[in-house]
Amino acid sequence: SAGNGYTSGAIKCINYCRDNGAKIMSNSWGGSGFSRALFNAISLSDALFVVAAGNNNTDIDITPIYPAGFSLDNILVVGASTDSDTRSSYSNYGRVATHLFAPGDRIASTYLNGRYVYLSG
């Protein structure tokens, strides 16, 4: 992946998952623009839609990103925490918008050529 994509592609993916009975969708992406079409696609899904809070050290209750900023019952917004169970310095947050925090700082991750590296985000 080049690290970016189009809302239309996300909607196609959500619709594909919905049409094929997905119960949970994991979505570690987002952006600042509200999209009614994306909102509608997520709201029509019966799946739990797990989304990233984002990595800009921003209160997303005040400055929302999407899809984390959609107020829908099937969205679970996850921020990043450290190994000492505190919010990672880069993680977005919000008393209302962010539901929980999970380890996301210096996580041992598979990498190229059979190696492991520590990544955050």
Side-chain angles (χ1 to χ4, degrees), residues 88-108:
S88 297
S89 62
Y90 56 83
S91 182
N92 288 353
Y93 55 93
R95 186 174 294 263
V96 175
T98 307
H99 299 109
L100 60 95
F101 288 82
D105 200 46
R106 295 194 35 79
I107 302 298

Side-chain angles (χ1 to χ4, degrees), residues 55-111:
N55 297 327
N56 303 104
N57 188 27
T58 299
D59 184 340
I60 59 175
D61 288 343
I62 296 169
T63 307
I65 63 160
Y66 299 96
F70 293 141
S71 183
L72 293 169
D73 290 340
N74 63 329
I75 289 183
L76 178 69
V77 180
V78 181
S81 65
T82 67
D83 59 0
S84 60
D85 204 25
T86 60
R87 181 178 64 85
S88 297
S89 62
Y90 56 83
S91 182
N92 288 353
Y93 55 93
R95 186 174 294 263
V96 175
T98 307
H99 299 109
L100 60 95
F101 288 82
D105 200 46
R106 295 194 35 79
I107 302 298
S109 305
T110 55
Y111 204 69

Side-chain angles (χ1 to χ4, degrees), residues 22-43:
K23 302 295 181 204
I24 300 173
M25 291 183 235
S26 178
N27 303 274
S28 185
W29 51 269
S32 60
F34 176 89
S35 166
R36 175 60 62 185
L38 181 60
F39 177 92
N40 290 343
I42 297 169
S43 68

